[in-house]
Amino acid sequence: GQQVMQIPQYQHVQEGEDFTTYCNSSTTLSNIQWYKQRPGGHPVFLIQLVKSGEVKKQKRLTFQFGEAKKNSSLHITATQTTDVGTYFCFSGGYNKLIFGAGTRLAVHP
Amino acid sequence: KAGVTQTPRYLIKTRGQQVTLSCSPISGHRSVSWYQQTPGQGLQFLFEYFSETQRNKGNFPGRFSGRQFSNSRSEMNVSTLELGDSALYLCASSFYSGDTGELFFGEGSRLTVL
């Protein structure tokens, strides 16, 4: 069945360093969403990508959707301690709503 | 406007019991989806309801069931609880169906099975 693989599982960075998490699917995705979950909190929507090759930016966050619509990435420039949390990719379609396993980001001041 | 409300927030059950969790979506949202979150398995999709109809279902045993009422409120039930059912159960509402719209999550119901 459809799977969305997300890497890395964990990432520890020094404040000010960059961070990237990747999601890859075995099948073409209709769209992909990204969510952030702070420790002890619930997932919060960040963005949705729909078009092939789409790139969207939110301040220090850059989201990309691959040309083949099978992969996506979230890049954070110059991380801050407020970026701490777990980042999930999410895709719906084919009658399943699937989250990637998540990448837990730790930022050391 | 009010967010997604889940009740109860915390509960403790013993093996073999059953449990019912409730989710009230954002007003106007017709889609409610449920997820099980555990440290080892991440967020696993349980099922989605849209306008009182189960639209999608994940790979969980039949002990997990749900329903949606005409006011879009949803309940999920787990029968014959097992230790492995201990988890945070999250529901999310969406204006559109879950595969196209932004999901708004509740705070979750944390279930502990002893």
Side-chain angles (χ1 to χ4, degrees):
Chain A
Q2 181 183 6
Q3 289 187 336
V4 176
M5 308 301 293
Q6 186 173 359
I7 57 170
Q9 189 175 8
Y10 301 101
Q11 185 81 54
H12 298 253
V13 300
Q14 289 293 131
E15 190 172 18
E17 291 182 338
D18 292 355
F19 160 77
T20 306
T21 174
Y22 302 89
C23 277
N24 296 289
S25 170
S26 55
T27 58
T28 302
L29 304 172
S30 58
N31 63 71
I32 195 158
Q33 298 176 13
W34 287 91
Y35 290 80
K36 175 184 178 181
Q37 185 174 23
R38 295 182 185 274
H42 57 274
V44 174
F45 175 82
L46 294 175
I47 209 155
Q48 175 169 281
L49 304 171
V50 179
K51 300 177 182 176
S52 168
E54 190 169 15
V55 178
K56 288 188 176 180
K57 293 190 176 184
Q58 290 179 349
K59 297 182 180 179
R60 295 179 294 104
L61 278 61
T62 302
F63 304 85
Q64 294 187 332
F65 201 9
E67 293 290 342
K69 300 182 72 173
K70 289 186 176 182
N71 57 76
S72 181
S73 65
L74 158 59
H75 179 82
I76 301 178
T77 302
T79 55
Q80 300 175 358
T81 54
T82 53
D83 296 324
V84 164
T86 302
Y87 294 84
F88 294 94
C89 60
F90 167 83
S91 185
Y94 306 103
N95 297 320
K96 301 291 182 187
L97 306 180
I98 299 174
F99 276 90
T103 297
R104 184 181 299 176
L105 173 63
V107 180
H108 302 288
Chain B
K1 63 187 172 184
V4 178
T5 304
Q6 289 190 246
T7 57
R9 290 291 313 279
Y10 303 91
L11 65 167
I12 299 174
K13 295 284 186 179
T14 56
R15 280 181 299 174
Q17 287 187 310
Q18 74 164 15
V19 66
T20 299
L21 309 177
S22 178
C23 174
S24 293
I26 291 172
S27 179
H29 285 192
R30 292 183 293 169
S31 167
V32 174
S33 51
W34 289 88
Y35 304 86
Q36 181 194 66
Q37 186 171 34
T38 59
Q41 297 296 320
L43 280 158
Q44 299 291 315
F45 168 66
L46 283 155
F47 28 65
E48 180 198 9
Y49 288 87
F50 187 86
S51 295
E52 301 180 67
T53 300
Q54 187 179 84
R55 188 169 177 272
N56 295 312
K57 190 176 189 305
N59 299 320
F60 278 81
R63 300 185 298 108
F64 292 81
S65 63
R67 59 179 175 169
Q68 187 178 34
F69 303 95
S70 58
N71 61 358
S72 292
R73 188 178 71 87
S74 177
E75 289 182 347
M76 67 162 284
N77 183 78
V78 188
S79 62
T80 319
L81 284 166
E82 301 177 357
L83 295 179
D85 297 332
S86 293
L88 178 67
Y89 290 87
L90 290 160
C91 82
S93 78
S94 176
F95 182 80
Y96 301 103
S97 59
D99 60 351
T100 58
E102 173 183 348
L103 300 176
F104 295 82
F105 283 86
E107 297 292 336
S109 293
R110 185 166 295 281
L111 170 65
T112 301
V113 182
L114 304 176

